[in-house]
Amino acid sequence: MTQNRPPSPSVASPRQTLQHILGQVAAIIGIFFLFLLSIETMVGTLRLFSHQAAREVFALTNNPFVSIFIGLLVTSIVQSSSTTTSLTVALVASDTLQISQAVPIILGANVGTTLTSTLISLGHISSKKEFRRAIAAGSLHDLFNICALIIIFPIEYYTHFLSKGAEILVRHLPFTAGDNPNLEGNYLVRHLSNWIVENSKDYPFFLLLGAILFLFFSLRSFSKILEYSMLKQGIGTKKMESETQQGESNPALLEVLFGNKWKSFFSGLLLTSAIQSSSVTTSLIVPLVAKGRVNLGVAFPFIIGANIGTTITGLLAALFKSETALVIAFVHILFNIFGGLLFLFVPFLKMLPLYLSEKLGELAQENRLFGFVYILVIFFVLPFFLIYWTS
């Protein structure tokens, strides 16, 4: 008697594979074009607003501490530090914000983007043991960025070492020329943007809103396409997260990604640079730590690497803009690099976020409501209160 065999999986022909690759490349090019166009359109639209209106709208940013919480709050709401950073770059490029006003917003956005991984941890609330580890993993990203902000921002505030370092780097870039950068590599984007702004200048608010929505759409689409490509290769974050939630894992893949501190660091750096979303890559850590597949100490370098990888978006947004816009992008890069170096190599600093996140996990295990309260206070109540109180 013959047994019914399951149909063998279809294998794509070389032609189909080539068509698939070309299709993805075309999609990435199209999305990147939309990203540049949305940034350029925002810059042009912001210039339509009068300087008086701009000063009134952004008067709060004269207080650097308020600016930090504006960056934190906006990023918590839109759940994308890349979007907040790109918006800030556009504001600087249009002369709406000064570098000193923009730097704290960028640093606040670094904290706001960590909300996603903390929210993911709430999915393990049904198991006390898993919930403790999940909250520890989710809050580790928050606490690392908060600690880095507390240490580095006062030094930047009094010495401007990040801003000055970024200015030196930008002056030595091969594609800039003093105060008037010769950045003419995007003729099509610039001309199309000018045409859009010129024909819509009677409705600047709606034009700005549309540009922001297209920016958000392009970043999301870029992340989804690359994540899908990785998923097809068996290394997608969704697949790994799904396997972990089911109690499964790929030992070989986990060894490649998290085999030691440096594998973990470069995995976070490269994955986030490709996907352009630290929220996606750091959220991968939560179920892995919750299920005990990865320990918190190895997850920490992955988070640091992801923090550096996410700065690429701001750099891309600033490439064809003003020199000051490039300075802001490099401030973001330098902040995350210095923060990463401090917490990778200084023993006391390395242990501080780990200790705090573990204690937070223990508190959440004793009272699960604590996890919800922590999220509400850190990401919403505290920023709203401080912005209102200081305004």
Side-chain angles (χ1 to χ4, degrees):
M1 184 175 67
T2 59
Q3 294 181 340
N4 292 328
R5 294 182 179 177
S8 59
S10 59
V11 179
S13 66
R15 182 177 179 180
Q16 289 174 321
T17 302
L18 180 60
Q19 288 176 339
H20 176 72
I21 292 172
L22 291 176
Q24 285 193 320
V25 170
I28 290 172
I29 292 173
I31 290 169
F32 185 61
F33 178 84
L34 181 62
F35 168 74
L36 293 177
L37 180 62
S38 61
I39 293 289
E40 194 72 40
T41 303
M42 272 193 289
V43 172
T45 307
L46 287 165
R47 286 176 177 149
L48 294 177
F49 293 94
S50 68
H51 291 292
Q52 180 61 34
R55 280 195 292 270
E56 291 175 0
V57 171
F58 294 102
L60 287 175
T61 60
N62 290 323
N63 185 325
F65 300 99
V66 174
S67 296
I68 288 174
F69 287 103
I70 288 174
L72 193 162
L73 185 61
V74 170
T75 308
S76 298
I77 293 171
V78 302
Q79 270 309 278
S80 173
S81 62
S82 297
T83 302
T84 307
T85 304
S86 300
L87 283 168
T88 307
V89 166
L91 289 167
V92 172
S94 65
D95 298 323
T96 305
L97 284 184
Q98 301 299 315
I99 291 176
S100 59
Q101 295 172 298
V103 169
I105 296 175
I106 295 290
L107 305 190
N110 247 28
V111 178
T113 193
T114 65
L115 172 61
T116 306
S117 56
T118 312
L119 287 173
I120 293 292
S121 66
L122 299 179
H124 297 268
I125 198 169
S126 58
S127 168
K128 277 193 172 184
K129 191 174 181 180
E130 283 188 17
F131 190 53
R132 175 179 61 80
R133 290 195 296 239
I135 285 290
S139 63
L140 181 58
H141 195 195
D142 316 339
L143 294 167
F144 160 60
N145 278 294
I146 290 170
C147 290
L149 181 66
I150 290 172
I151 293 169
I152 297 176
F153 177 67
I155 303 174
E156 164 64 15
Y157 182 74
Y158 289 106
T159 68
H160 305 290
F161 81 106
L162 289 176
S163 307
K164 290 176 181 177
E167 287 172 359
I168 292 171
L169 283 173
V170 169
R171 280 201 298 269
H172 288 83
L173 288 176
F175 47 80
T176 60
D179 295 328
N180 299 303
N182 183 23
L183 303 176
E184 299 297 334
N186 61 336
Y187 286 113
L188 181 58
V189 171
R190 186 164 296 168
H191 288 310
L192 182 56
S193 169
N194 289 340
W195 181 84
I196 292 171
V197 172
E198 183 64 28
N199 287 275
S200 309
K201 61 184 179 183
D202 293 334
Y203 309 97
F205 175 78
F206 293 104
L207 184 58
L208 180 62
L209 180 61
I212 293 172
L213 290 175
F214 277 113
L215 170 67
F216 190 76
F217 171 77
S218 62
L219 288 171
R220 285 286 185 178
S221 299
F222 187 66
S223 175
K224 292 295 182 184
I225 285 177
L226 291 180
E227 192 176 347
Y228 173 75
S229 299
M230 293 169 65
L231 188 63
K232 294 283 285 184
Q233 299 299 320
I235 59 173
T237 54
K238 285 186 176 179
K239 179 179 179 179
M240 292 182 67
E241 184 176 325
S242 175
E243 288 177 348
T244 307
Q245 289 171 343
Q246 295 169 14
E248 305 169 0
S249 60
N250 185 329
L253 184 57
L254 292 183
E255 172 62 27
V256 170
L257 295 178
F258 307 104
N260 57 48
K261 177 174 75 172
W262 293 111
K263 284 183 179 179
S264 183
F265 171 78
F266 284 108
S267 295
L269 175 63
L270 295 174
L271 283 173
T272 308
S273 297
I275 296 175
Q276 275 309 291
S277 174
S278 60
S279 299
V280 172
T281 49
T282 55
S283 295
L284 161 67
I285 285 292
V286 174
L288 290 172
V289 174
K291 293 290 184 179
R293 303 294 184 267
V294 175
N295 68 59
L296 208 58
V298 175
F300 190 31
F302 183 90
I303 289 170
I304 293 174
N307 245 36
I308 298 173
T310 196
T311 61
I312 300 300
T313 306
L315 183 59
L316 292 174
L319 276 180
F320 300 109
K321 305 297 173 292
S322 65
E323 194 167 287
T324 51
L326 277 169
V327 168
I328 288 300
F330 275 103
V331 165
H332 191 201
I333 294 170
L334 291 176
F335 173 78
N336 283 340
I337 288 176
F338 281 127
L341 291 175
L342 283 174
F343 285 86
L344 277 174
F345 293 106
V346 180
F348 168 73
L349 292 179
K350 178 182 177 181
M351 297 307 299
L352 182 60
L354 289 169
Y355 173 79
L356 293 174
S357 62
E358 286 174 349
K359 287 298 179 184
L360 195 62
E362 291 171 6
L363 289 171
Q365 185 180 24
E366 293 173 8
N367 186 346
R368 300 184 199 188
L369 185 62
F370 185 83
F372 292 94
V373 173
Y374 167 78
I375 290 172
L376 286 174
V377 170
I378 294 296
F379 294 99
F380 298 103
V381 175
L382 187 61
F384 266 121
F385 172 75
L386 289 175
I387 291 171
Y388 175 78
W389 182 60
T390 55
S391 61

